[in-house]
Amino acid sequence: MNKINIKLMSDSALAYLKKNIEIVTDKIKSNETNDWVYKDFKQPIFVEKNYMIDDIELSENPDLVDKEIDFKNSIILYEALKDLPNYILTDEKFWLWLYFEKFYKVTKSMMKIKGASTIKDHWTFEQGVRRGLMFGVLSRCFYRVALTVEEYKPDKYELTRWIIQSPERYRNLTWRSFSSEKHLVRGIIRAEKKAVDEYGYENNDFYAEIAKYISQIGSVRLLDVIEENDIENMVYNKMTELYNK
């Protein structure tokens, strides 16, 4: 597979985007290709870096509901980007390069643009870095995999597939400050899946209750020192309690 250098959106281009968010939103909504980007933004729009990744392609998802396409895109994206340093993966300008140049049409197809709020919340980091990563059109695809992959298992993407099949299984965690802690997310998801499989039916309200429960634990204990197996057992017991009610 061919290799390409990654790019970051330039500081001047980022400043233009933030200053003209309404205009840029209208341009994205009305243009199926990104030709307009190279006319409207002042050069240089993107700055090439020394880090290299596989030159991958992602599938468009025009109906916005094909979970199999979401799953495949998420895996492809994760495998291509997982070796990049954290300071790149958490840089708004890296994801903006992917949105505005590399995967412009794919990004548009994956989320309907209702207005400037869509761009602020799901393309830029207007609401903060953690929120930007967890809710970004492509960044959330990457982190759904990065936070649930189990490299030591034959089907290492079992948990990833499970949360992509039904967004409610993961959405409530993304609002919480602990959502970037892999050992917590993985332990929680594994316990929830175990309980759902055992009881044979699903109640989406339970996921909000579990997210609250973990936050309550965090108020009296440091979540980062709880072992993954311990958090799994705690969440499983809580899920069992909810089911038995």
Side-chain angles (χ1 to χ4, degrees):
M1 186 174 290
N2 293 333
K3 295 283 187 177
I4 61 169
N5 288 85
I6 69 164
K7 298 179 184 178
L8 304 183
M9 177 175 274
S10 68
D11 290 334
S12 60
L14 178 62
Y16 175 83
L17 168 62
K18 296 294 182 70
K19 185 178 180 180
N20 299 279
I21 193 72
E22 297 285 351
I23 295 174
V24 171
T25 300
D26 289 339
K27 290 280 189 176
I28 296 172
K29 290 172 67 175
S30 59
N31 288 272
E32 290 304 310
T33 68
N34 65 343
D35 294 344
W36 64 273
V37 173
Y38 305 100
K39 299 174 183 176
D40 287 30
F41 284 77
K42 185 181 294 184
Q43 297 290 343
I45 307 171
F46 307 106
V47 180
E48 189 172 280
K49 297 297 181 180
N50 290 329
Y51 293 106
M52 302 191 77
I53 61 172
D54 289 334
D55 188 10
I56 59 173
E57 293 185 6
L58 300 178
S59 300
E60 293 181 45
N61 187 5
D63 58 8
L64 303 175
V65 296
D66 194 325
K67 300 304 180 186
E68 187 60 29
I69 290 179
D70 274 354
F71 175 70
K72 290 179 179 178
N73 278 348
S74 297
I75 299 303
I76 291 171
L77 198 64
Y78 171 74
E79 290 294 343
L81 305 182
K82 65 181 181 179
D83 293 327
L84 289 174
N86 192 55
Y87 79 88
I88 293 290
L89 291 170
T90 57
D91 192 327
E92 175 182 30
K93 292 179 289 186
F94 170 69
W95 294 103
L96 288 171
W97 162 58
L98 296 180
Y99 297 148
F100 279 91
E101 184 173 67
K102 182 64 177 169
F103 298 123
Y104 177 80
K105 292 182 70 176
V106 174
T107 303
K108 280 196 62 175
S109 77
M110 290 179 66
M111 180 176 292
K112 184 177 181 180
I113 298 171
K114 299 178 180 179
S117 61
T118 304
I119 305 302
K120 290 180 180 179
D121 292 343
H122 303 289
W123 289 48
T124 74
F125 289 4
E126 192 80 11
Q127 304 293 338
V129 174
R130 188 193 63 81
R131 183 183 173 89
L133 292 173
M134 293 299 120
F135 289 87
V137 182
L138 293 180
S139 60
R140 69 178 177 181
C141 290
F142 173 85
Y143 280 100
R144 282 184 307 191
V145 185
L147 293 170
T148 58
V149 63
E150 298 175 290
E151 296 288 353
Y152 51 89
K153 288 193 172 182
D155 182 5
K156 64 180 183 178
Y157 297 123
E158 180 183 7
L159 297 182
T160 304
R161 184 182 293 104
W162 193 71
I163 63 172
I164 289 177
Q165 286 173 347
S166 176
E168 288 300 322
R169 295 168 176 169
Y170 181 65
R171 182 178 289 129
N172 283 283
L173 298 182
T174 62
W175 298 99
R176 306 290 173 166
S177 59
F178 57 77
S179 61
S180 58
E181 297 293 333
K182 182 173 182 176
H183 73 291
L184 295 177
V185 173
R186 198 163 56 184
I188 293 166
I189 297 298
R190 192 186 301 115
E192 289 175 337
K193 183 180 185 302
K194 180 180 178 181
V196 170
D197 290 345
E198 287 185 3
Y199 282 86
Y201 71 95
E202 192 167 13
N203 185 331
N204 286 337
D205 291 341
F206 290 177
Y207 300 126
E209 290 298 320
I210 292 298
K212 293 177 185 177
Y213 171 63
I214 300 302
S215 293
Q216 291 169 353
I217 294 174
S219 67
V220 293
R221 299 177 63 178
L222 295 176
L223 289 175
D224 58 353
V225 300
I226 298 179
E227 295 292 335
E228 185 172 324
N229 287 340
D230 291 337
I231 201 72
E232 178 182 351
N233 291 332
M234 293 165 68
V235 171
Y236 174 75
N237 290 336
K238 184 65 176 179
M239 285 287 285
T240 299
E241 176 187 323
L242 293 170
Y243 271 109
N244 289 334
K245 283 184 178 180

